[in-house]
Amino acid sequence: MKFLVWLALFYSIQVHAETLSKSENLELALILSTSEVVFKSNTFPNVLVIETWEEISECGGLFESCPNARLFVIVSNGDLYEVPALYELPKSKGWKFIDFVEKDNFYLLSVSTTLEHANVSPESRKAWKSKVYTVKISKYDDGAVSLVE
């Protein structure tokens, strides 16, 4: 009996489906489809670090053949109507979160470039050099961001 009631209810509901238009913004589609949150703070200002790729491809034995990864740092005070500040570090073959440290007036975010994910030869891996970046994020000044040498 319940089955008949569900069947009647199902056929009585008119489903209205509307076709959505496909976005032509290919760069945004690539960024969103390959993005991964590397770090997210629980502090104010809010800090979000996202890695994404320039293209969808694989490495061909040498690290130079690997696609470049982009690393975005987004800072927001969480206020209504505030547009978050967006920063981008130099492109690399991959990124890895190291540390997030709170100081009196700022935070220090440390990340390093990496090849951990890459399928490259041992010789090419030895030739590649990792680099550490430390980013200073002000607790004030609208979350101003700068690279620390």
Side-chain angles (χ1 to χ4, degrees), residues 20-92:
L20 297 175
S21 60
K22 180 180 172 184
S23 173
E24 299 302 321
N25 189 334
L26 299 179
E27 182 180 15
L28 181 59
L30 182 64
I31 288 171
L32 293 175
S33 67
T34 63
S35 65
E36 178 183 341
V37 175
V38 175
F39 173 78
K40 182 177 182 180
S41 72
N42 295 320
T43 61
F44 286 99
N46 295 317
V47 177
L48 182 64
V49 181
I50 297 174
E51 177 187 45
T52 186
W53 299 91
E54 280 192 315
E55 61 182 292
I56 299 173
S57 66
E58 295 184 16
C59 304
L62 301 175
F63 75 82
E64 294 91 349
S65 68
C66 297
N68 283 323
R70 299 172 73 179
L71 194 73
F72 295 102
V73 177
I74 302 142
V75 180
S76 170
N77 287 320
D79 294 335
L80 292 176
Y81 308 110
E82 175 202 5
V83 177
L86 176 66
Y87 303 89
E88 184 176 1
L89 273 72
K91 294 176 177 114
S92 179

Side-chain angles (χ1 to χ4, degrees), residues 96-112:
K96 182 170 100 175
F97 169 76
I98 297 175
D99 200 14
F100 187 74
V101 177
E102 182 173 359
K103 300 291 185 180
D104 288 337
N105 297 321
F106 57 90
Y107 299 101
L108 293 175
L109 168 74
S110 296
V111 293
S112 70

